[in-house]
């Protein structure tokens, strides 16, 4: 029942209701004794309005089912509990998921880095991913172009498995034949905190797009046993912001490619990143 309520309160179904954001949900959750039932019974005007959209919710869930997408909430046993354990109130109340949920039982190495990767960056990433596969680890990344995609594709084309926390809606990812094949084979799971019924973020403000990506970065660090920063700018960009945030909160060990060419990498090592040569 808690899971159903969370979906109703926080799910985006393309209707006129504005669902609770992550921060709004957790604030109310704590205000009502860490109880979903407490939120539901509060008789708050906005909560009551959200609870009345059962018809829209039902039709949206049916449409998601047809796309092979399900919703997991933190109240579900197969939700990635490691996000809740490590992130606390930064954990999303729900995630849209496509693929085998048994990914929770596997170990992952995270990969983050520039979208504008050079050949040397890609080569180093592939070398490290190959080592991860030999050691029994999968890859978790954000699915963006550059380092993210290189890490995911190398794992999947070399007998490994992967998880991608994407910052756009899952529907756009399903058009790719290789992605669909890996999902069907149980080697890839896609997750997103962005509803498939949300208009494309790229068509909205730049701040919305960047905000979704920054939110997603937290999940990568939390899901991984350790995360590798392949290439980071200095004091700018999502890779730098995500890595410094992970170092502050100690979400996972942060390994940084010790490459003298990249000032951002050098500075991350000074902030506590673990230098990685190979």
């Amino acid at each position: 029942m808690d899971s159903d309520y969370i979906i109703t309160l926080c799910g985006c179904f393309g209707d006129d209701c504005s669902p609770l954001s992550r921060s709004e949900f957790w604030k109310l959750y704590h205000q009502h004794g860490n109880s979903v039932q407490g939120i539901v019974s509060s008789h708050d005007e906005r909560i009551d309005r959200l609870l009345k959209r059962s018809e829209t919710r039902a039709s949206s869930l049916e449409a998601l089912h047809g796309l092979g997408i399900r919703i997991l909430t933190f109240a579900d046993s197969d939700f990635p509990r490691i996000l809740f354990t490590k992130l606390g109130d930064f954990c999303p109340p729900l995630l849209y998921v496509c693929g085998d949920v048994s990914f929770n039982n596997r170990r992952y190495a995270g990969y983050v880095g520039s979208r504008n990767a050079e050949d040397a960056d890609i080569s180093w990433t592939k070398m490290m991913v190959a080592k991860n596969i030999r050691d029994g680890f999968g890859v978790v990344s954000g699915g963006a172009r550059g380092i993210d995609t290189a890490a995911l594709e190398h794992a999947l084309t070399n007998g490994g498995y992967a998880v991608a926390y994407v910052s756009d809606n899952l529907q756009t990812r399903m058009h790719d034949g290789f992605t669909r094949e890996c999902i069907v084979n149980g080697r890839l799971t896609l997750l997103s905190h962005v509803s498939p019924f949300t208009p494309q973020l790229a068509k909205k403000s730049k701040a919305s797009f960047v905000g979704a990506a920054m939110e997603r970065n937290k999940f990568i660090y939390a899901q991984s046993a350790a995360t590798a920063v392949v290439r980071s700018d200095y004091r700018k960009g999502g890779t730098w912001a995500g890595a410094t945030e992970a170092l502050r909160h100690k979400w996972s060990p942060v390994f940084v490619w010790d490459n003298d060419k990249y000032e951002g990498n050098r500075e991350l090592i000074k902030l506590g990143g673990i230098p990685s040569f190979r």
Side-chain angles (χ1 to χ4, degrees):
M1 184 63 73
D2 278 359
S3 184
D4 287 342
Y5 282 137
I6 295 167
I7 291 172
T8 304
L9 295 173
C10 301
C12 177
F13 305 129
D15 54 19
D16 294 333
C17 290
S18 176
L20 298 179
S21 66
R22 170 185 55 77
S23 58
E24 289 173 332
F25 173 81
W26 290 119
K27 182 179 180 180
L28 288 171
Y29 183 74
H30 297 316
Q31 283 178 351
H32 293 91
N34 293 343
S35 167
V36 176
Q37 297 290 334
I39 299 175
V40 172
S41 303
S42 66
H43 301 300
D44 177 87
E45 182 179 345
R46 182 182 177 193
I47 298 300
D48 288 343
R49 186 166 63 252
L50 286 168
L51 292 172
K52 290 177 181 177
R53 58 181 189 152
S54 57
E55 185 174 336
T56 304
R57 173 185 179 278
S59 60
S60 296
L61 290 178
E62 184 177 353
L64 288 177
H65 179 75
L67 295 169
I69 299 171
R70 62 181 293 193
I71 300 178
L72 292 180
T73 79
F74 81 96
D76 294 318
S77 60
D78 44 6
F79 185 85
R81 303 302 299 174
I82 196 167
L83 299 190
F84 187 61
T85 301
K86 288 187 178 182
L87 299 181
D89 288 0
F90 287 120
C91 174
L94 58 77
L95 286 165
Y96 301 87
V97 184
C98 187
D100 189 351
V101 295
S102 66
F103 74 92
N104 282 315
N105 303 319
R106 296 168 171 171
R107 300 182 299 168
Y108 295 92
Y111 282 85
V112 297
S114 173
R115 291 170 179 262
N116 301 312
E118 298 181 358
D119 289 344
D121 306 329
I122 300 298
S123 295
W124 190 86
T125 299
K126 290 181 177 180
M127 178 185 69
M128 296 302 292
V129 168
K131 183 178 186 301
N132 296 147
I133 293 173
R134 291 195 298 271
D135 292 341
F137 286 83
V139 163
V140 55
S141 199
R145 75 171 190 271
I147 299 302
D148 291 26
T149 297
L152 292 171
E153 289 185 350
H154 196 68
L156 294 170
T157 55
N158 287 276
Y161 51 89
V163 165
Y165 282 100
V166 303
S167 57
D168 53 10
N169 85 56
L170 297 181
Q171 248 183 305
T172 62
R173 303 279 171 161
M174 302 307 294
H175 299 308
D176 179 71
F178 178 68
T179 297
R180 291 197 303 273
E181 178 186 347
C182 291
I183 290 172
V184 170
N185 292 338
R187 294 191 297 114
L188 173 64
T189 303
L190 299 180
L191 304 98
S192 181
H193 62 298
V194 178
S195 168
F197 300 107
T198 301
Q200 288 297 293
L201 291 171
K203 296 179 181 178
K204 299 171 71 178
S205 69
K206 182 179 180 181
S208 296
F209 183 80
V210 172
M214 287 304 302
E215 188 87 350
R216 174 275 315 276
N217 287 346
K218 298 175 175 63
F219 314 151
I220 298 169
Y221 284 98
Q223 186 75 52
S224 65
T227 303
V229 179
V230 181
R231 178 176 179 176
S232 174
D233 291 328
Y234 177 48
R235 287 190 174 180
K236 65 178 182 179
T239 303
W240 172 268
T244 53
E245 186 178 36
L247 286 167
R248 284 197 308 273
H249 292 283
K250 297 180 170 40
W251 287 328
S252 72
V254 178
F255 287 83
V256 182
W257 185 20
D258 194 359
N259 187 328
D260 288 339
K261 286 176 56 181
Y262 302 145
E263 183 182 9
N265 290 30
R266 297 197 307 269
E267 294 301 322
L268 286 174
I269 291 171
K270 290 179 183 178
L271 291 173
I274 303 166
S276 180
F277 303 97
R278 58 155 299 167

